Amino acid sequence: MHNVDDGGSVFFQQQLDLRGEPNQHVSLHVQIMFRIVMTRIQDKWKSYRHRFVPWIALNLRKNERTIRQVTERSKDRLASDEVVLETLLHLFRALLRNDVAHQEEVLRLLPASTQTRYLSPETTEGPDIGEPKGEHGPIETMFLTVGFCIERKPSSLPFAGTGVFVTRGFVPKGATVAMYPGTIYQAYEPILFQSIWNPFVFRCIDHVLIDGNDKGISKIVYRSCSGRDRLGPFRLSDITWLTANTENPLAVGQYVNNCSNERAANVCYQEYDVPEAFPLELRQYLPNVNYRHDTQRPLRCVVLVALRDIRPGEELFSNYFTIVH
């Protein structure tokens, strides 16, 4: 009997151990999943917190260098609209000139005087001085036209993901460095689902929103609106910023990271409304589109302007929050 009892005890103990192992595995699995979820939430929060107004309000004192403060609305602009327009036209014309092989259908519908601007050899006079000769890629065209170029690379800040760097050339103070692409929403238009877990929603001073996310539902909405507004062979907005190979090299402003107390901002955001007289053939390079096609207001763009001279190799940093006194 004693031997039988010992065997039974061993048998029941083995059953208890076997029952316990799955529970231990489940518990360990839950802990691992919890840690993964919390890590992802923390990473999301680190990229999103700078756009969360209550967080900024609570951290004003210890993060003073991350807040841009201007004394009045008129001083929020570093470059005039005329200067911004001149830069955009200069670059966009160069981009089109270097892509004439794919622009035949568009050019054919333009007036002869406009066609001459793009098809004839460059002259030594006129508004196109400095435009590159021959065919070049968008980034090379940017460098040859405005004297510098920017590209997306892994950020120098930990947990910041992608950043934007000046890779070649010299950026003078006041120059238009980049554009913030995306779908334009007026204050009364719906953006609830697009804004969920979306750190790329930019809010203008007048509460106009720009969704610069190049993934998910935001990407679908932008493509749909862009296709809707097409005018025959004329594209009225750029959709290539949704890909890795954008035709407008300026359209990477959504990846410019927020500054820190250690890394001061070297660019700032500036709102710009595209004039109605903006050339039809150049609108294909504008990386913005209205959510509603019957919006009566001018197309809103946001450009990033250099706060100081920026040298090659520097990463661009902006202030995600501006206080206008």
Side-chain angles (χ1 to χ4, degrees):
M1 293 293 295
H2 180 73
N3 291 334
V4 173
D5 289 340
D6 284 345
S9 300
V10 171
F11 173 77
F12 284 115
Q13 184 61 46
Q14 289 175 344
Q15 294 302 308
L16 291 174
D17 291 342
L18 289 174
R19 291 179 181 178
E21 287 178 1
N23 291 334
Q24 292 175 1
H25 285 303
V26 170
S27 177
L28 181 60
H29 179 70
V30 170
Q31 292 179 21
I32 293 174
M33 290 300 298
F34 178 77
R35 290 175 183 175
I36 292 175
V37 170
M38 290 304 298
T39 300
R40 290 182 178 178
I41 291 176
Q42 289 175 0
D43 290 342
K44 286 287 186 181
W45 171 246
K46 287 175 182 177
S47 65
Y48 188 77
R49 61 186 178 183
H50 306 294
R51 301 180 186 272
F52 188 60
V53 176
W55 181 88
I56 295 174
L58 293 172
N59 287 269
L60 282 176
R61 290 187 177 181
K62 65 179 182 179
N63 294 280
E64 291 183 357
R65 293 191 67 186
T66 66
I67 309 299
R68 179 170 176 254
Q69 303 196 38
V70 294
T71 55
E72 56 187 76
R73 179 74 178 271
S74 62
K75 295 184 178 180
D76 187 34
R77 295 175 175 268
L78 289 185
S80 66
D81 286 349
E82 292 74 20
V83 171
V84 174
L85 176 61
E86 182 181 358
T87 300
L88 297 184
L89 292 178
H90 191 44
L91 175 59
F92 292 177
R93 284 171 179 155
L95 292 171
L96 195 153
R97 182 188 293 277
N98 280 273
D99 192 39
V100 289
H102 302 94
Q103 301 285 339
E104 293 181 359
E105 188 177 7
V106 170
L107 294 175
R108 181 169 50 85
L109 299 176
L110 298 176
S113 58
T114 305
Q115 293 184 35
T116 303
R117 174 187 291 274
Y118 303 110
L119 297 176
S120 64
E122 291 84 351
T123 62
T124 56
E125 299 178 353
D128 295 334
I129 294 175
E131 288 189 5
K133 299 180 180 181
E135 291 190 3
H136 301 278
I139 293 178
E140 181 71 12
T141 299
M142 180 181 181
F143 174 69
L144 295 173
T145 304
V146 299
F148 62 87
C149 57
I150 58 174
E151 296 182 61
R152 288 173 287 185
K153 292 184 176 183
S155 176
S156 59
L157 293 177
F159 308 108
T162 302
V164 179
F165 292 78
V166 176
T167 54
R168 295 173 63 188
F170 172 80
V171 181
K173 179 180 178 180
T176 300
V177 185
M179 302 181 71
Y180 199 101
T183 306
I184 311 300
Y185 293 85
Q186 304 302 318
Y188 53 84
E189 292 175 340
I191 191 176
L192 173 62
F193 292 108
Q194 298 93 311
S195 66
I196 297 175
W197 290 112
N198 184 357
F200 296 105
V201 177
F202 181 96
R203 188 179 70 176
C204 299
I205 294 177
D206 58 358
H207 304 295
V208 169
L209 301 176
I210 303 179
D211 182 5
N213 196 350
D214 56 9
K215 297 179 178 62
I217 189 174
S218 300
K219 180 177 182 178
I220 296 173
V221 169
Y222 186 93
R223 282 187 176 275
S224 176
C225 294
S226 181
R228 174 202 64 199
D229 293 347
R230 188 182 180 101
L231 186 62
F234 294 97
R235 290 187 289 117
L236 303 185
S237 57
D238 174 32
I239 63 172
T240 63
W241 68 270
L242 298 170
T243 70
N245 301 309
T246 176
E247 292 179 1
N248 174 8
L250 291 175
V252 293
Q254 78 277 34
Y255 284 105
V256 173
N257 283 306
N258 191 40
C259 63
S260 64
N261 286 335
E262 293 74 31
R263 306 282 186 89
N266 50 20
V267 296
C268 68
Y269 300 102
Q270 181 171 310
E271 299 167 19
Y272 172 73
D273 289 335
V274 179
E276 291 186 6
F278 197 88
L280 181 62
E281 73 275 9
L282 299 182
R283 288 180 176 267
Q284 62 182 298
Y285 300 111
L286 292 172
N288 298 98
V289 64
N290 284 316
Y291 177 70
R292 294 184 58 176
H293 70 281
D294 57 350
T295 300
Q296 300 300 315
R297 300 180 64 174
L299 180 68
R300 171 64 53 83
C301 287
V302 170
V303 297
L304 283 82
V305 179
L307 289 167
R308 59 169 176 81
D309 294 344
I310 306 174
R311 303 191 177 279
E314 289 192 63
E315 182 175 359
L316 300 182
F317 293 107
S318 63
N319 297 104
Y320 280 2
F321 197 78
T322 299
I323 297 178
V324 180
H325 296 279

